[in-house]
Amino acid sequence: MDDKQNHPSSSGEMQSSTPVQDERAVFRKRVLKIGGAVTLVLVGLFTLPIPFGSLKITGSDKVTVQDVMVAGDIHEPVNILQISTEKLKSRLAKDLRVEEAQIRYQLPLTMEVHIVERKAVAVVPAQFGYLTIDSKGQVIASEPAIQDTSVPMISGVKAGNILLGDTVVDKPILAALEYLNSLDENTFKNIAEVNIGDPDAIMAYTVSGVQIRLGDGKDLPKKAELTQSMLQDIKKTHGNVQYIDVNISSPYIKTDVIPEGKKHQNGAPTTETSSTKKDDTKQDKQGHVEDKR
């Protein structure tokens, strides 16, 4: 009798714990249902041909969405969750038009592929035509005649048996590229030719025909900086420039100047030859500027 009073029946225990257990069971079922539904949706989005998002190409008018889809093995309908960004970058890098591909996402559901185009830096004569090369010396075009006249010609040498996509390894050509790559945009546009026929006496020419004496292939970035400065200087002269010498230790400008106010007896202006060393000039007793070599 005492045992019955002190110890509740097993049936009473079951009745008191049922509401809590039922609540937990319902919660677990809901979580499992929601988790299962989310899992099914994700599996479908990542595996099934379900349209999800869109592709956008920026930075280039040459590389199209279709080009990117072919490079990335992307099929219709486009699903951006199924696109491997690393695989797409790697494949686009093999396109001679593309220097780099940058991929980012935009809200709400857009994958943006930004194309950095490979730019032509020079044209080099070859055995069977002309090669267009980029800043790293890679051949990005091969034509029987010059097609791109907006970039300088590297003359004085012919490239060997180099095919489209190959990279130039000739040191004189690479030296010319180093010089051109070191120029600012405005100066680069003013260079028409770099002659490397003599690697120890490299010559460049502006579009107006001014000769730039570069010497050997050493210190080319510094010589490019001097080129920029000296071409700016000669815009201020009153005569024609015969040539400029960008020797690092002794930069030099050779000009035909017309001294202001000095005229012949008949009133016609005179023309004298002047050799001007940048930041270091010396005049003789007659008023001429001497050539300090």
Side-chain angles (χ1 to χ4, degrees), residues 104-236:
R104 49 181 173 259
Y105 294 93
Q106 292 183 345
L107 295 175
L109 297 169
T110 301
M111 174 184 281
E112 179 187 352
V113 182
H114 181 74
I115 302 295
V116 179
E117 289 187 343
R118 204 180 295 274
K119 295 182 179 179
V121 172
V123 174
V124 185
Q127 292 180 346
F128 303 105
Y130 296 88
L131 305 176
T132 301
I133 56 179
D134 69 358
S135 60
K136 298 177 182 178
Q138 185 173 16
V139 179
I140 59 176
S142 178
E143 304 289 347
I146 298 177
Q147 300 293 325
D148 191 349
T149 58
S150 65
V151 297
M153 163 81 76
I154 297 178
S155 61
V157 67
K158 280 191 175 183
N161 187 23
I162 301 176
L163 303 176
L164 194 65
D166 289 347
T167 300
V168 174
V169 295
D170 296 347
K171 289 184 178 180
I173 297 178
L174 294 178
L177 280 179
E178 183 182 10
Y179 172 72
L180 293 172
N181 287 331
S182 301
L183 297 172
D184 62 26
E185 185 177 357
N186 289 332
T187 308
F188 175 82
K189 291 178 180 178
N190 199 25
I191 302 298
E193 179 184 349
V194 179
N195 187 292
I196 55 175
D198 184 350
D200 294 322
I202 300 173
M203 302 283 187
Y205 298 89
T206 67
V207 292
S208 60
V210 176
Q211 184 187 83
I212 304 168
R213 299 184 178 184
L214 300 174
D216 57 27
K218 298 178 181 178
D219 299 317
L220 289 171
K222 292 182 179 179
K223 292 176 180 178
E225 186 177 347
L226 269 175
T227 300
Q228 294 164 187
S229 174
M230 295 173 79
L231 287 180
Q232 287 293 325
D233 286 346
I234 65 176
K235 291 180 180 180
K236 304 173 185 177

Side-chain angles (χ1 to χ4, degrees), residues 81-129:
L81 294 179
Q82 298 176 3
I83 299 174
S84 169
T85 56
E86 292 303 318
K87 181 179 179 181
L88 180 58
K89 287 181 181 180
S90 176
R91 291 194 173 185
L92 283 173
K94 297 177 182 179
D95 190 322
L96 294 178
R97 299 168 297 177
V98 179
E99 182 172 331
E100 183 185 2
Q102 302 167 351
I103 300 176
R104 49 181 173 259
Y105 294 93
Q106 292 183 345
L107 295 175
L109 297 169
T110 301
M111 174 184 281
E112 179 187 352
V113 182
H114 181 74
I115 302 295
V116 179
E117 289 187 343
R118 204 180 295 274
K119 295 182 179 179
V121 172
V123 174
V124 185
Q127 292 180 346
F128 303 105

